Every structure is written in structure tokens, then in C-alpha cells.
Amino acid sequence: MKADVTVIGSGPAGLTAALSAHESGAKEVLLLEREEELGGILKQCIHNGFGLEQFKEDYTGPEYAERLIKEIEKTNVRRLLNTMVIDLTPDRAITAVNPEKGIFQIESKSVVLAMGCRERARGSIGIPGTRPAGIYTAGVAQRFVNIDGYLPGKEIVILGSGDIGMIMARRLTLEGAQVKGVYEIMNYPGGLKRNIVQCLNDFDIPLHLSHTVTEIRGKERLEGVVVSRVDEKMQPIGGSEKFIACDTLLLSVGLIPENELSKGAGIELSPITKGPATTETMETAVAGVFSCGNVSTVFDLVDYVAQTGMTAGRNAARYATGDWKKERPSVEVIPGENVRVLFPQRYSFQDDLILFIRSAKPIESPLSIDISPLEMHIKKLYARPNEMIRVKVPRDKLKDITESIEVNITER
Amino acid sequence: MNEEKLARTIQGEIEKATGEKAAVSIEDSVARLDGRFPSNQSAVDAGHISAGFEQVRGVVNEIDYPGRKPFALPQKVSDELTGKEFDVVIVGGGVIGLAVARELSRFNLSTAVIERHDDLGIDQTAHSNAMIHPAIATEHGTLKWEMNYKGNAMYDEVASQLDVDFKRIGTLVVAENPDEEQLLPVVVEIATKQKDPDPKELNRAELDRIEPGLAPNVRRGVLVWNTGIISVFELIIAYAENAMANGVQFFLNTSVTGVQTEEGNIKAVNTTRGTIKTHILVNAAGMYADRIAELAGDRFFTIHPRKGETIIFDKSYQPAQTVLTSFSMVAEKRSQYSKGGGIIPTIDGNLQFGPTAEEVCDREDVSTTSAGLEALFNRFAPVLERLKPRYEKPDKGKIITHFAGCRAATYKEDFIIEPSKKVKGLVYAAGIQSPGLASAPAIAERVKEIIIQEWHPAENTHFEPKRKRGKRFSELDHREREELIRTNTLYGHIVCRCENATEGEIVDALHRGIPAKSVDAIKRRTRAGMGRCQGGFCMPRVLEIISRERSIEKELVTKSGGESFILSGKTKQVKK
Ligand SMILES: Cc1cc2nc3c(=O)[nH]c(=O)nc-3n(C[C@H](O)[C@H](O)[C@H](O)COP(=O)(O)OP(=O)(O)OC[C@H]3O[C@@H](n4cnc5c(N)ncnc54)[C@H](O)[C@@H]3O)c2cc1C
Ligand SMILES: Cc1cc2nc3c(=O)[nH]c(=O)nc-3n(C[C@H](O)[C@H](O)[C@H](O)COP(=O)(O)OP(=O)(O)OC[C@H]3O[C@@H](n4cnc5c(N)ncnc54)[C@H](O)[C@@H]3O)c2cc1C
């Protein structure tokens, strides 16, 4: 099978990338999705708040996905469902499997990675104790409730204050379950402010910062957890243990970009974002392979995801149609003081540079985001690790850069 | 020494060591301890002290201590098995019971395996490190040692007949300085004496071939090459499937709750699902082998659970090709009764650190602790970092799971493989702690010998030693995958994306041989859910497939049998 642009994954990133590749003149666009429907993780996010920026509408996840899917359906973008990509080589040969075609190869002039992210599970955070039923990632619980129509449990403790966990706290409360509390190891919340207000405060669900689960109890089904307060080094404080009876523990302890394929293709991953290091065009270190959405870095908002998808699709189309020339070598974009996450990692002088920044710690006083060597200082009233900051640096301001671009957050 | 005097001596020794007074009595070389001690550890110490006397054949330890778990027999649920009759009943579907079942199926004996859980091997066997130990570390002259070296040598044939992945990767003891180099011939000598075949001293070039990237100061080492690693879940199922194909019957979810004897002969076993008649009872009940002995009126040992914790790393971290051992690890070996754990690769490409060794109160205690994790990490990570400096550093972030299991240790700390001295028809394969897995084929053979000597069964001329495992998508090349999907499209649907397990394999596991019933049983058979996301993605899908294939409501699907239900009911607004 041959294609101009092949997009792997059909979440908001992949859908947008496929549309944008099509609109940018790629003739044969192929969209591969391992699930039986398009839409990615949004299909199970039945709460609202999607597309405020992109469509100026307050959609639920499925509505948002539906809108993109409708647009895709009007095009000749070829969609293969139930199709899992199992291998990608550095020269862009894709191997996929599906029940109808078996194993097959795709040669594509360019490739867009849009595989999204997965949730961190119990093993990777090492909670000691027994191994009963009743411990799920928040996303699994979300799928049980929203897609399958089942309740994972009745008395619930949530570890981690990620957005999915908070959204599930509200959802499960509405379904009649008792959510006993959300415990967060950091001294600031992991998710968006609006979710703390709308999902926890409005339902009187307590959020305990600087707390973690230190033991799991129960033989067959979970019987309870021990929670402890932690010190500044995030170590449990002896004597602060408290047993909380519950039959379910939901983990909302972070998302990790899904990069098995990228690794196989020899694509350099950023140790910070855990996704492919890309330029502002979303091109990875492997020529002709682009990446976007949560496979690149975990974004807070689907609008940001879509924006990277748009860019990746457009540039993948340019690459495929031969309209791709790099006039100058790219330069590094380096996170400096108070910056934990910075995306993209390189600048190649082809587009405006749209930076996505997460601060290293909560800063609740006025600050400035300094972009050097440009004399660019963007003033903000606060910066929080759980709220990504987006900054656009126009292309013409960057043309004289020769070495690297550094981003610092300075408290004023 | 007469038994009364011996009892007094033992009592004195216990008091000297623990400061506590135990009531000690001895009858037929079996010591019985009573009293109340301040801790489990002191009670265990009393047991070990008593067992240290050669005239003591076994120790029944009834010393009470805070936290001791009372033992309760499970309730009877039905009578459906009443009326059944077999020549042999094997209590316990761990690797030992299963290996024995297969061995006995070579004869014209009707055999049943009774297992209390809803799947096989999930007490000790599944919580082991899946290592086929060399005999170098077991105490010379013990039954353990004999079974270890004999069993190890049998594994090539067992694995090939049963189609189980098995690889001899070797234990590599490396010298880090000239002093340690001097000791290498001693290692060779010990291994040879222990009957590990042909241990070899290696120079740097030879080391580089089997364990690349060692630190520059490592110049020589010894390879005890017969150390193997095996797919232990596959082995469990393989033994069972092969035994089944040769006529053995399996009763899962069934606990033995009583043993009926008549004039000193085995007559029947009572179970939670009825009474089964038999004249031979093989006690392979692992953690509860002492209880079965007690039920048969032949109490001469007590099992004391010794917990071991293990941590497993993601497949992307593979710094060791062998069971890599430094002299510092050997020197530091903590407990007198365990081999001290190690850096052990698995056949699936995940590295393990483990196991720890801790005496615990509860035989069912398979909980992990942060102390265990820290101990393992702090013990082995520095060694690995030192021996393999060019590799990525061990990182707690790469741990994908942490588990624990209890070893079924007796105070004699040796295996018991013998016919009962009191009850005719009762045969023991008890106290099978580590290296019980490595010893399993030899233990099974020994049990078989005991049985044929006494009962002379005729050979089963239809015995089929071979078993083939189901197809695994992840192991096939593209062409084979094509073919497989063409014959069954379910193999074209990947359910577990970490381990590339397909719906075809899952459906197969739900129907073949000993059918998987729970999510964990599927995991053990297909690896779905065993990868880095630990079922985060595939668990709801596996649940759905189980519900569909077994025609049961989703709410009734369990994680691991019993009441371990995954869901608690339907939501208010059910869409479908
Ligand atoms: C459980 C969960 C809940 C979330 N809830 C919210 C929320 O409420 N609000 C919000 O703004 N964000 C939420 N997020 C974040 C969310 O991931 C993003 O907002 C957005 O969905 C990311 O879009 P994406 O296209 O990058 O990834 P996804 O939507 O995850 O799409 C990736 C797609 O790629 C497919 N895929 C992956 N690998 C392969 C392969 N090898 N072959 C073929 N197909 C493949 C997947 O099946 C999936 O359909 C959630 C994330 C998770 C994991
Ligand atoms: C942490 C750890 C690591 C280990 N690592 C290794 C290793 O790497 N290599 C090695 O060689 N050995 C190892 N071992 C030892 C090895 O696992 C055991 O020796 C071996 O599995 C014993 O098998 P078994 O069949 O006797 O016991 P089990 O697997 O415990 O089987 C006994 C079975 O009997 C059943 N049962 C008990 N009572 C009843 C009843 N009343 N009615 C019905 N059924 C009953 C139980 O449910 C159980 O399934 C390890 C052990 C532990 C704990």
C-alpha cells in the first residue's frame, strides 16, 4: 500500500493532522486507527469543555470528535479502523495489522505520529501492599462508566489530582458512588483550576495536598488504603498514617506519551517530554516523520493538541509533495530557569514558533517569561505547572538567531 | 539421648537464644513446641533450634505469638464430587502437584488433582523468580540439593516436550579485584562438588561474549552455565495440559478439608465439593502441606511462611544477560535459610531483583512493602551500576511491578519426599520451598518411584509426552502471522499493546486445557496486561472477552477468582 501522508492514530491530533494534510494538497492521505471507531480518547470524555478555542463551542468529547469526523468524512482521506501499526522504520515503512488484511506494509512519503498517551499505572509508582481487584487508572474507570455503562466501585479514593481523576470524581459522585477524597503527593494540584472547582469543590470532595497512598489492603477486593502526609522531599511522614476504607482506588498520576513505535523508528525522544523532539513544524529527528498531540508532550487542552495536529498535517503534506526545503540548520530551544517542560525542542526557521511552557513550580506572583536572545519579555500574573502557557513568537523576529533560543521564567 | 532428655536440652537451647520458655515434648523423633512467645521471629527461632538436632525428624511448632493467624477450614459448598473415585488424588495444583500428575499419567492409574484456587500454581509457583537454579548454593548432601541438581539437568527435556520457553543463561560470578580472582578456582571447585556440570573459569574476552560491557576492572569470572530461566506460567499450564491429555482430571475451586483413613490406610478425601474416594493421596499442598498431614493424623512438621518480594523492570531495561553475581553479593548473603536473591533476567526479557526473605505470620501474606522494595533496590542497584557502568543506571521509574510470595519452609529447611510413616497411601512432596521449581521434575520422579514400588501399576502405553502450546502472535514472523490471521481473524486484533497479545490468544486461553476464568489467569497465559502499562489499556477489553466467551455478566468477571469482582454494578444510565 502506498500513501503520501500516513497518520497513525485518530484522536484529535490525528484527525486534525489528516484534515490539514488533505487541505494542504496531499492527494493520498491515510488515517490508521487501532480502535473500531475514530476519535481517540475523546470518545470516553463525555464531559464538556472541548473546542472552546478551536470552534468557539463548548462541546463534550464525543461531540468534538464527531465534528472532526464529519469533516474527515467529506474528504477522500482513507480511513482504516481496527488497524494497529506495529512497526515503523527510519525510512518510513509502516507495518500494520488488522483482521481483514492481516499484516501489511505501507510506504508513505511522510508520516504523522499521533498515538496519544497512556496512563501511569500502579507498578510505576510502586505502592506497596496487596494486589486485590479494585485498583484502576482513572481512564479505565472512565471507560467502564462512560462507554461500558458499569460502575467500578462504590467507595472511592483517588490518588493524584490529574484532570481525569477529578473529572471521574464528579462522574462517579453523580452515579451514586461515594468519593472519599483526592490525595495528591505534590503541594499543588496536578490538574486545571476549573476542574478543582467544578469537579471537587462543587461536590464537597476534599483534596488533600502533600498526601499519598502508602499501602493497599484487601485480599480479593480492595478493602482500604493507608494514606500518609509527605514532607518536602515527598517522603511519607511516620505517624501520619490514616486508614481509609474503600473498595476502589483510582490512579490519576500522570500520562506518558505512547512512543513504542517512535523508539522502534530510531526517533530521538526528549527526556523531558518523553515524546519525540520536534521542530516548530512538528518534524522529528527522522526526516519526513512528524509528531503531534499527546504523543509529543502531554497537553492540557485539546485545542493545543489540535493546533499541533494542524501544523504537523500541513508540513507532512509539504514534505510529501516536495515543497520542503530547509534553508538553514535548526537551532535548539532550551528550557532555562523555572521551566520544567518546553515544547518544541528545536526551531527550523520555517514557521512562527509557538512555545508550550510548564513552569517548574507554582509561582503565585507576577513574573516574566523571557525569551533570549530576543528581547522578548511576556508578563504574567502567575505560573502553575498544571497550566501550560502558550507563547507565540513570530517568525520574522527569529530570523537572526544563530545559536539557540532559551526560555526562562523570572520572578519579579 | 532419650527423648525426654533431648526435650530438656532443646528447651534450654531455646531459652538461651530467645530468653523464652517453651514447652517441648518429643515423640517418635518429632518435637512439639508449645508456649507463648513475644514475636513470630522468636517462635520461628525456637523451631529452627529444635530442628537443628539431628535426632529430631520434624518440628511441630504450636508456639503462640501476637499476630498469629488461626487456621480455619473453608466451608463446604456442594456435594457434586461425592461418588467419584480415583487411584490417586493429588492435593495441590502447584508445579509439584502438576509435575507429579504428569509423571503418574505414564501409568494406568486414575488420577485427580485438587486445587483450592480457580487457577493453577498461584500460591508459590507463580510468585517465584522462574529460575532453574544451579545446585551451587544448596546445602550439600540435603535432599534439596539432590533434587536440585537432578531436576535442573532434566529441564531441557521437560521444556522441549512441553513446548515451554527455557534458556540456560548461566550464573556468572565475576571477580572485581585480584583478591577475588584468587577465589575463582574455589568457586569452580564448589560448583563441581555440587554437581553443576562443567563450571568454567573465563577470561575477559570470554566474559565479553556472554556478558558484554562489564566494568574494566573485571578481568575474570566463573560461569556456572546450567542456570536456566523458564516461562513459569507456561510451565504450569503445560504440565497440566499434558497430564490432562493423558487422562488426569482436574478439580479447581476445591479445597481438601479432611482425610479419611481406615485401619491406617487412605480411604477418601473430604473436599468443599464432596467426598472423593482414593487409596493414594499425594500431599503437594505447598503452604498447607502440614495441615493435610494433620488431617490425615500424621502431623510431624510445621510450615512457616517465609515471604519473598521481587521487583520487575520494564523490558526497555536489559542490563544483564546472565544471573550476574559479585563476590560482594555472596559475602553479604543475609539470611541463613535463603540464597539471598539476585539479579535475575526473565525469559520474557524483564530484569528482576529478588527475592527478599522474611518470616511472616500469615501464609496468605503476599503483600509488598516499601522496605522490601528499598532493600532490593539498594542491594542490587549499586552492584549492577558498578559491574555494568556503560549501561543505563537502574532507575526506580523503570519498575513495572512489585510482587511477593511465601515459601513453604519447614524447620528442617529441607524437602520432605517420602511415604508417610503412619498412614499407608499417603505420600509427601512437602516443604518444597526454593529451589522447588528447579527440582520439580526430579521430585515428581521420586514420588512416582515411591508409588510404583508400592502399587506396581501397569504402564500407560498411550502416554503422549509431547504438548504444543497455542500460537503467540508476538513470536511469529510476518508470514506466519499472515497465515494465522487468515485462518482466524481474531489473531489480527491486538488487545494488549504492550505485549502484542491478540484476541485470538485470549479466546484460546479461555477454552483450551485448563480454561482461564479470570483476568489474571488470562494474563498468566497470554501476557495480556503484563507489560509496562500493567493492563491499563487492555483490562476492560479482556474483561469484555471473558464475559462474552464464558457467557457471564460483566459484573461476575473476577480479577483472580473468589470475590475479586472488577465491577460493582451498572450505572444509572445504561446506554446499551
Ligand atoms: C483517559 C484519558 C482521559 C482524558 N481526558 C481528557 C479530558 O477530559 N479533557 C482533555 O482535554 N484531555 C483529556 N485527556 C488528554 C487527551 O489525551 C487529549 O486531550 C487528547 O485526546 C489527545 O489527543 P491525541 O490525538 O494526541 O491522542 P488520543 O486521543 O489518545 O488518540 C490517539 C489515538 O491513536 C491510536 N493509536 C495509538 N497507537 C496506535 C497504533 N500503534 N496504531 C494505530 N492507532 C494507534 C489510539 O487508539 C487513539 O485513538 C485524556 C487522556 C486520557 C488518556
Ligand atoms: C519469592 C519466591 C521466589 C522463588 N523463586 C524460585 C526460583 O527462582 N526457582 C526455584 O526453583 N524455586 C523458587 N521458589 C520456590 C518455588 O516457587 C516453590 O518451591 C515451588 O513453586 C513449590 O511448588 P508447590 O507445587 O509445592 O507449591 P505451590 O505452588 O504453593 O502449590 C501448592 C498448591 O496447593 C494448593 N493447596 C493447598 N492446600 C490445599 C487444600 N487444602 N486443598 C486444595 N488445594 C490446596 C494451593 O492452593 C497451591 O496451589 C521461589 C519461591 C518464592 C516464594
Side-chain angles (χ1 to χ4, degrees):
Chain A
M1 201 181 282
K2 282 193 185 341
D4 291 324
V5 177
T6 301
V7 180
I8 307 174
S10 74
L15 288 170
T16 319
L19 271 176
S20 127
H22 170 77
E23 284 159 8
S24 308
K27 293 216 167 49
E28 305 225 347
V29 179
L30 183 59
L31 180 57
L32 306 177
E33 170 56 53
R34 67 178 168 210
E35 296 287 306
E36 55 201 26
E37 283 176 85
L38 299 176
I41 208 78
L42 293 189
K43 287 173 314 209
Q44 67 183 53
C45 305
I46 63 169
H47 52 279
N48 61 349
F50 292 92
L52 294 168
E53 183 183 300
Q54 193 184 358
F55 300 122
K56 308 278 176 288
E57 297 268 0
D58 188 5
Y59 287 134
T60 64
E63 284 168 352
Y64 175 98
E66 208 42 50
R67 173 142 182 190
L68 289 173
I69 293 167
K70 285 241 168 67
E71 291 186 37
I72 283 274
E73 282 169 349
K74 288 186 217 142
T75 69
N76 66 347
V77 170
R78 188 159 172 210
R79 306 172 294 271
L80 288 181
L81 298 172
N82 290 312
T83 303
M84 173 139 166
V85 176
I86 53 174
D87 192 41
L88 171 68
T89 66
D91 50 7
R92 299 186 299 278
I94 296 168
T95 308
V97 55
N98 81 18
E100 292 81 43
K101 291 185 193 307
I103 303 267
F104 59 103
Q105 310 272 342
I106 300 156
E107 276 171 50
S108 189
K109 291 183 186 148
S110 64
V111 174
V112 179
L113 307 176
M115 289 93 70
C117 55
R118 69 185 144 82
E119 298 175 275
R120 287 178 71 198
R122 176 181 175 189
S124 58
I125 51 172
I127 313 171
T130 56
R131 296 151 71 85
I135 303 165
Y136 312 114
T137 61
V140 164
Q142 191 176 45
R143 184 189 156 108
F144 279 145
V145 177
N146 293 348
I147 307 242
D148 302 335
Y150 287 90
L151 272 177
K154 297 199 167 82
E155 292 192 307
I156 295 165
V157 166
I158 299 179
L159 175 61
S161 56
D163 289 313
I164 317 168
M166 293 197 278
I167 287 163
M168 284 315 291
R170 171 175 64 186
R171 185 82 181 94
L172 287 162
T173 306
L174 292 172
E175 286 294 342
Q178 188 198 355
V179 178
K180 295 193 155 177
V182 175
Y183 294 84
E184 167 60 56
I185 193 166
M186 308 296 277
N187 57 10
Y188 55 87
L192 295 174
K193 180 86 188 175
R194 74 165 193 230
N195 284 332
I196 300 171
V197 174
Q198 295 171 7
C199 301
L200 303 185
N201 299 356
D202 289 359
F203 293 85
D204 291 327
I205 298 167
L207 168 62
H208 305 269
L209 297 175
S210 300
H211 273 78
T212 192
V213 171
T214 46
E215 194 189 331
I216 285 167
R217 291 191 192 160
K219 192 163 153 43
E220 297 187 333
R221 177 79 195 199
L222 183 67
E223 285 157 23
V225 297
V226 176
V227 296
S228 305
R229 229 151 33 94
V230 301
D231 60 21
E232 318 79 64
K233 292 196 199 99
M234 292 195 282
Q235 293 305 310
I237 300 171
S240 69
E241 299 86 0
K242 217 169 93 189
F243 178 78
I244 300 175
C246 59
D247 64 7
T248 306
L249 174 66
L250 296 190
L251 304 175
S252 183
V253 290
L255 301 169
I256 309 170
E258 173 95 291
N259 276 293
E260 267 60 67
L261 284 178
S262 324
K263 281 185 213 156
I267 293 170
E268 178 201 339
L269 299 186
S270 149
I272 295 172
T273 59
K274 313 264 190 268
T278 67
T279 69
E280 82 287 6
T281 65
M282 304 297 140
E283 193 184 24
T284 68
V286 171
V289 179
F290 297 79
S291 100
C292 57
N294 279 359
V295 79
S296 293
T297 184
V298 176
F299 292 95
D300 305 337
L301 295 174
V302 78
D303 301 300
Y304 295 176
V305 167
Q307 183 169 36
T308 59
M310 189 98 75
T311 308
R314 183 176 68 239
N315 288 305
R318 281 177 56 208
Y319 192 97
T321 54
D323 173 26
W324 186 258
K325 41 188 183 305
K326 278 188 225 167
E327 277 138 26
R328 304 165 53 176
S330 63
V331 296
E332 254 187 292
V333 184
I334 303 170
E337 200 185 347
N338 286 328
V339 176
R340 192 181 78 210
V341 174
L342 184 60
F343 178 84
Q345 292 82 357
R346 303 192 72 85
Y347 182 64
S348 67
F349 304 96
Q350 305 188 56
D351 249 326
D352 295 336
L353 174 60
I354 296 167
L355 293 169
F356 293 92
I357 305 164
R358 274 187 209 282
S359 65
K361 58 174 191 200
I363 301 172
E364 300 292 345
S365 51
L367 54 95
S368 136
I369 296 172
D370 304 323
I371 298 165
S372 59
L374 306 184
E375 285 301 311
M376 224 173 136
H377 306 284
I378 297 127
K379 305 221 175 334
K380 297 260 166 198
L381 290 175
Y382 62 86
R384 297 172 187 144
N386 49 344
E387 293 177 28
M388 226 174 198
I389 302 165
R390 182 174 52 175
V391 173
K392 178 169 165 176
V393 188
R395 184 180 173 176
D396 56 345
K397 280 199 173 178
L398 291 158
K399 58 182 187 304
D400 298 327
I401 302 263
T402 50
E403 275 170 6
S404 61
I405 301 163
E406 191 173 309
V407 179
N408 291 288
I409 299 180
T410 323
E411 294 174 67
R412 283 188 290 155
Chain B
M1 232 189 290
N2 74 29
E3 294 195 323
E4 227 165 279
K5 194 162 158 228
L6 180 60
R8 276 199 305 280
T9 313
I10 291 175
Q11 190 182 40
E13 292 293 318
I14 292 174
E15 196 169 349
K16 227 190 293 166
T18 66
E20 299 295 321
K21 210 170 182 100
V24 183
S25 61
I26 300 184
E27 201 186 320
D28 296 334
S29 307
V30 177
R32 180 186 161 117
L33 313 179
D34 288 277
R36 190 167 164 84
F37 274 32
S39 68
N40 175 38
Q41 187 60 52
S42 56
V44 169
D45 290 344
H48 277 135
I49 290 165
S50 316
F53 289 80
E54 217 166 300
Q55 294 108 299
V56 173
R57 169 166 90 92
V59 178
V60 173
N61 190 345
E62 278 295 306
I63 296 174
D64 201 11
Y65 53 83
R68 186 168 187 234
K69 290 275 160 181
F71 179 70
L73 285 174
Q75 293 295 312
K76 185 162 174 174
V77 294
S78 75
D79 251 326
E80 63 199 286
L81 302 182
T82 301
K84 292 201 183 289
E85 185 169 356
F86 294 91
D87 293 321
V88 185
V89 166
I90 300 169
V91 199
V95 70
I96 301 302
L98 298 172
V100 168
R102 175 181 187 245
E103 242 4 82
L104 295 183
S105 70
R106 295 173 189 271
F107 298 88
N108 285 334
L109 289 164
S110 60
T111 303
V113 173
I114 299 185
E115 169 54 52
R116 64 187 181 125
H117 293 300
D118 87 333
D119 199 10
L120 298 168
I122 61 182
D123 269 12
Q124 286 184 86
T125 309
H127 294 113
S128 77
N129 296 111
M131 173 169 155
I132 305 308
H133 290 272
I136 187 166
T138 39
E139 195 185 332
H140 191 82
T142 59
L143 185 55
K144 234 185 190 176
W145 165 69
E146 185 191 345
M147 293 296 114
N148 188 170
Y149 84 77
K150 288 184 174 161
N152 178 305
M154 294 165 81
Y155 260 100
D156 301 280
E157 183 176 298
V158 168
S160 100
Q161 287 183 339
L162 296 180
D163 196 16
V164 177
D165 286 333
F166 169 65
K167 212 162 126 196
R168 294 204 184 268
I169 57 170
T171 294
L172 186 65
V173 184
V174 293
E176 294 180 81
N177 55 51
D179 288 346
E180 291 178 358
E181 283 171 19
Q182 301 272 307
L183 294 172
L184 291 173
V186 182
V187 177
V188 171
E189 201 178 302
I190 297 174
T192 309
K193 176 172 170 228
Q194 292 288 84
K195 301 209 179 188
D196 282 322
D198 200 16
K200 291 186 183 76
E201 197 174 328
L202 306 182
N203 62 28
R204 180 66 200 219
E206 291 164 325
L207 286 175
D208 284 340
R209 240 170 287 142
I210 58 160
E211 189 65 85
L214 285 164
N217 59 314
V218 174
R219 298 186 309 181
R220 306 191 68 79
V222 169
L223 178 69
V224 182
W225 62 265
N226 59 326
T227 301
I229 52 178
I230 196 159
S231 168
V232 68
F233 304 121
E234 187 75 50
L235 180 70
I236 295 167
I237 297 305
Y239 263 133
E241 282 182 5
N242 187 241
M244 193 178 213
N246 288 303
V248 174
Q249 293 191 36
F250 287 82
F251 301 100
L252 274 62
N253 269 324
T254 308
S255 279
V256 170
T257 52
V259 178
Q260 296 181 23
T261 56
E262 209 177 277
E263 292 165 4
N265 293 295
I266 291 286
K267 276 287 161 239
V269 291
N270 304 335
T271 78
T272 45
R273 300 202 293 140
T275 301
I276 303 173
K277 286 193 185 147
T278 185
H279 51 277
I280 306 173
L281 179 63
V282 176
N283 179 357
M287 300 308 305
Y288 295 96
D290 56 342
R291 302 294 179 191
I292 299 294
E294 184 180 352
L295 293 173
D298 182 27
R299 203 172 176 207
F300 66 97
F301 61 96
T302 295
I303 299 284
H304 58 101
R306 185 160 56 232
K307 188 162 82 174
E309 299 184 35
T310 299
I311 50 180
I312 295 208
F313 293 86
D314 185 65
K315 280 183 182 170
S316 62
Y317 181 58
Q318 297 196 5
Q321 315 306 313
T322 59
V323 176
L324 190 54
T325 309
S326 68
F327 276 89
S328 65
M329 279 161 68
V330 182
E332 198 197 337
K333 185 177 125 170
R334 295 261 159 84
S335 149
Q336 185 183 350
Y337 304 107
S338 88
K339 289 177 295 304
I343 298 167
I344 311 170
T346 68
I347 194 95
D348 301 297
N350 303 85
L351 183 75
Q352 330 176 66
F353 285 174
T356 55
E358 183 201 355
E359 300 293 341
V360 292
C361 307
D362 183 359
R363 299 169 191 224
E364 301 286 321
D365 181 353
V366 289
S367 64
T368 55
T369 63
S370 44
L373 186 143
E374 292 299 322
L376 289 169
F377 196 83
N378 296 338
R379 177 148 192 240
F380 298 120
V383 177
L384 206 48
E385 233 181 287
R386 201 170 72 224
L387 296 181
K388 290 276 188 117
R390 296 216 315 260
Y391 282 71
E392 230 177 301
K393 276 192 184 174
D395 170 6
K396 283 189 191 150
K398 291 218 169 225
I399 297 172
I400 58 168
T401 189
H402 177 190
F403 65 89
C406 281
R407 305 169 181 87
T410 66
Y411 289 106
K412 277 286 190 186
E413 298 289 343
D414 202 355
F415 297 163
I416 301 171
I417 310 165
E418 60 191 39
S420 162
K421 295 192 176 13
K422 273 197 189 151
V423 183
K424 189 158 178 255
L426 176 59
V427 181
Y428 288 100
I432 313 296
Q433 52 164 305
S434 191
L437 179 66
S439 310
I443 295 174
E445 201 168 76
R446 179 64 55 93
V447 170
K448 172 195 77 182
E449 280 160 13
I450 293 169
I451 289 172
I452 55 176
Q453 261 172 32
E454 184 76 35
W455 286 276
H456 313 289
E459 231 169 271
N460 169 9
T461 48
H462 303 294
F463 177 74
E464 171 53 64
K466 285 211 161 71
R467 169 261 177 191
K468 276 233 83 48
R469 67 170 174 232
K471 289 262 193 291
R472 291 267 179 76
F473 181 86
S474 62
E475 298 171 350
L476 305 177
D477 64 27
H478 281 353
R479 207 186 37 80
E480 294 167 318
R481 287 173 172 178
E482 278 273 17
E483 247 176 65
L484 186 61
I485 299 168
R486 224 177 302 121
T487 55
N488 181 350
T489 57
L490 293 182
Y491 284 92
H493 179 213
I494 294 179
V495 174
C496 167
R497 61 188 174 183
C498 300
E499 299 287 328
N500 278 346
T502 65
E503 186 169 355
E505 285 143 82
I506 294 170
V507 169
D508 184 45
L510 283 162
H511 295 296
R512 67 183 276 150
I514 308 289
K517 296 199 187 73
S518 64
V519 170
D520 281 358
I522 289 290
K523 170 167 142 182
R524 287 188 289 269
R525 285 167 179 72
T526 66
R527 294 192 59 78
M530 227 178 250
R532 59 181 61 89
C533 86
Q534 292 283 300
F537 174 77
C538 64
M539 191 269 280
R541 291 156 175 88
V542 170
L543 181 141
E544 216 170 286
I545 299 169
I546 295 176
S547 148
R548 182 190 75 208
E549 295 292 316
R550 296 188 57 208
S551 307
I552 55 172
E553 288 287 329
K554 283 188 183 164
E555 294 104 303
L556 296 181
V557 176
T558 64
K559 176 175 184 284
S560 52
E563 307 263 299
S564 65
F565 301 112
I566 288 171
L567 299 169
S568 75
K570 294 200 170 66
T571 54
K572 292 179 191 159
Q573 315 98 310
V574 187
K575 291 183 297 177
K576 287 175 196 165

